[in-house]
Structure formats: structure tokens, C-alpha cells
Amino acid sequence: MFKKIDTFNFKKQSSIFKNLTLLVYKSFIKEPRSIIFMLVVPIFFSVMFFFIFKEKSGPYSGLLLLNYALLPCLTVLTSLTPAIVEWKNSVFLKRIDITGVKKSMFIASIWLVYLLAGLFFYIFVLSFNLVFSIAVLGTSDKNTLLQSFKTINFGYLLLAIILICATSIALATLFGGIANSSGSIQGIVMMVYFFSIFLSGVMLPADSLYSNKGIVIFTYFIPHKYPVFLYMYALNSERWLNSISSSQGVVKSFTAVWQPIVGSLAILAGLFTLTTFTFKWTAKR
């Protein structure tokens, strides 16, 4: 007489999610683009830009390499966007409804894999930069990368890295959800990527970049800026707040640590909300 109500089977759903995650992981490690963007490019940029800005940064040159370790977290954007488009157009995803697996769960597995990839490659590039800094700067007090470990707030550091990866994932999901083909969106993605790495405070020293109020106001529209400045705070909170020698630059962007945290979370909420209205599973030909 009464229709049986389907109940949520946690064990079954967790097993499905695990298998989906393994599928995405295997796809990730087999794709040469992933290694190139998240390992080769960050290491190349780290070495090149270190020598470009070494003299200008003076005693803080070692800290440049700490910032450059964030590059894999930003290159999640360039790796994930085409991956989402390709998965959308794959036979597997077109037939996934037949299996009873929710597409939202599949997207969640993609987010998890790329979040973990961002964290893993951050540690890998940081380790490389640490060895590189010792080879170039030695182990004395001149090596500010080594000295910075005395002042790092690891709680804020982990939060900042997760927020940077999440911001890249949110942007990639937005762009990948709109695009019908990876080629059609790649130009926009690369433009956003380069704007992000150069204007968020990752590649260019903040003391030279944030010297004009107009530039500072413009950079508030760069989503990655907020978690990157939280990362700077985690490295050295006193210098971040110092009015004379601030790691934020000549013109401060934030006066308290809660500001970039709230700003970052608000941007993430806005990006994911916008994505729910614009994401397209099927390409319109």
C-alpha cells in the first residue's frame, strides 16, 4: 500500500565516491599537462624570477621562493579547466546517469583530487626551492627562506594554501562549466592565470607592486589576492602589519588578518553560486 522510501546508503555512496576519485586520480597522473603545469612550469618560474628579482629584493630574496611555492596551487586553474571540459564531453560522463551516479558527486571527486594535487605539489616545489635557496644563498642568516620557519604560523599557512587551491578550483569550475571545448576557453583561462600570479603578490615583490593606491584598488578584483595575503601573514605576521617595512607593500591592502579570510570566503561563495546558474553539462552545437 505504501511506497517504499529510498534511504541514503552511506557505505554505498562512499564506495562510489572512492571509485570516482580513483578514476579521476588515474586520469590526472596519465595526463602530461598535469605534470607540466603543476611541476615543470612552477619550478622554471621559481628559478627564473628568483634571479630577476634577487637584487631588488635584497635581504628578503629568499622569501621570494616561499611565494613561488604557491604556483602549483594557482596552476590548478590551467589544469582543471580543460579537464572539466573534456570530462563533460566524454562518453563516460554522458552515460553516468544510467549507472545512478550523481554528476555532482563526480564533480566533488574532481575537486578533491585537484585540491590534494595542489597541496602535494606545493610541498614538492617548496622542497625544491628550499634546496635551491641553500645552494644559492647558503645556510646563513642571509637565507631568509630558512629563517622564516621560525616565524611561520602553520595554522594560517595551511588555511591560506587550501583557500588558494579552492579559489583556483572555483574559477576552473566556472570556466569549465561554461565552455563547450577546451580550446575555446584556454585563452581566457591563461589570461586570468597570468593576471593572478602577477597581481596577487605571488610573482612580483609586493613592495614594488603595491606602491600605488590605484594599483592596490584594482587588485581587489583579483580573487587570489585575498588568500595570498593571508599566506604572507602566515609567513611573518609582524612584517605583514609593520607600517614601515610591510610585506604588503608601500600601500597596505589589509589592516587585520580577518579581512583577507572573509574576503576569500565571500569570493568563493560568489563563484560557486554563479557556477550553479551557468554550469552546462551538455554542449550546445
Side-chain angles (χ1 to χ4, degrees):
M1 180 180 293
F2 296 101
K3 186 178 179 180
K4 185 179 179 180
I5 299 176
D6 293 332
T7 57
F8 179 80
N9 190 322
F10 178 79
K11 186 176 181 180
K12 179 181 178 181
Q13 295 301 317
S14 60
S15 177
I16 292 173
F17 183 75
K18 177 184 176 182
N19 292 332
L20 287 174
T21 303
L22 287 173
L23 176 66
V24 176
Y25 165 73
K26 290 177 181 179
S27 174
F28 174 84
I29 60 176
K30 290 180 180 178
E31 176 56 60
R33 177 182 61 220
S34 303
I35 304 300
I36 292 173
F37 276 112
M38 300 193 70
L39 183 61
V40 178
V41 171
I43 289 177
F44 174 76
F45 277 2
S46 293
V47 175
M48 180 177 69
F49 280 93
F50 172 77
F51 285 114
I52 291 175
F53 294 110
K54 180 176 179 291
E55 297 299 326
K56 193 169 185 178
S57 298
Y60 299 111
S61 59
L63 294 178
L64 291 173
L65 294 171
L66 272 173
N67 278 9
Y68 297 161
L70 289 174
L71 284 171
C73 303
L74 278 82
T75 50
V76 167
L77 170 62
T78 58
S79 298
L80 179 55
T81 302
I84 289 177
V85 177
E86 290 167 7
W87 278 113
K88 278 171 41 178
N89 294 328
S90 68
V91 175
F92 170 77
L93 207 58
K94 289 177 181 178
R95 297 178 179 177
I96 198 172
D97 290 328
I98 302 174
T99 64
V101 178
K102 296 180 180 179
K103 290 179 179 177
S104 57
M105 184 180 288
F106 184 77
I107 285 293
S109 67
I110 294 178
W111 290 344
L112 177 62
V113 168
Y114 278 84
L115 173 62
L116 295 177
L119 293 171
F120 172 79
F121 283 107
Y122 166 83
I123 296 173
F124 194 99
V125 175
L126 177 61
S127 300
F128 171 86
N129 288 353
L130 182 61
V131 174
F132 176 68
S133 72
I134 294 173
V136 177
L137 301 173
T139 56
S140 65
D141 292 343
K142 292 182 180 180
N143 191 335
T144 47
L145 191 157
L146 283 177
Q147 297 302 316
S148 67
F149 282 96
K150 299 176 182 178
T151 60
I152 288 178
N153 184 318
F154 289 97
Y156 280 127
L157 186 78
L158 180 59
L159 176 61
I161 296 170
I162 291 174
L163 288 175
I164 293 169
C165 290
T167 302
S168 298
I169 290 170
L171 287 169
T173 307
L174 175 64
F175 294 138
I178 296 173
N180 293 330
S181 65
S182 57
S184 64
I185 199 67
Q186 197 62 28
I188 296 175
V189 170
M190 294 305 298
M191 183 175 67
V192 172
Y193 170 69
F194 282 110
F195 264 104
S196 296
I197 65 173
F198 286 112
L199 296 180
S200 65
V202 173
M203 298 304 298
L204 302 179
D207 54 355
S208 61
L209 178 62
Y210 296 100
S211 57
N212 180 279
K213 192 172 182 179
I215 295 176
V216 171
I217 293 173
F218 175 76
T219 56
Y220 282 121
F221 296 96
I222 306 296
H224 281 102
K225 171 181 177 171
Y226 299 86
V228 167
F229 270 65
L230 176 62
Y231 181 83
M232 292 179 184
Y233 177 88
L235 297 181
N236 192 324
S237 59
E238 290 185 8
R239 185 166 178 251
W240 191 83
L241 293 168
N242 195 314
S243 58
I244 299 174
S245 178
S246 173
S247 59
Q248 296 189 52
V250 178
V251 181
K252 283 188 178 181
S253 298
F254 307 102
T255 57
V257 68
W258 64 266
Q259 295 169 354
I261 295 176
V262 172
S264 183
L265 292 175
I267 287 175
L268 284 174
L271 288 173
F272 282 120
T273 300
L274 181 61
T275 300
T276 58
F277 294 103
T278 60
F279 197 97
K280 297 182 296 183
W281 286 110
T282 56
K284 294 181 180 180
R285 302 294 183 183

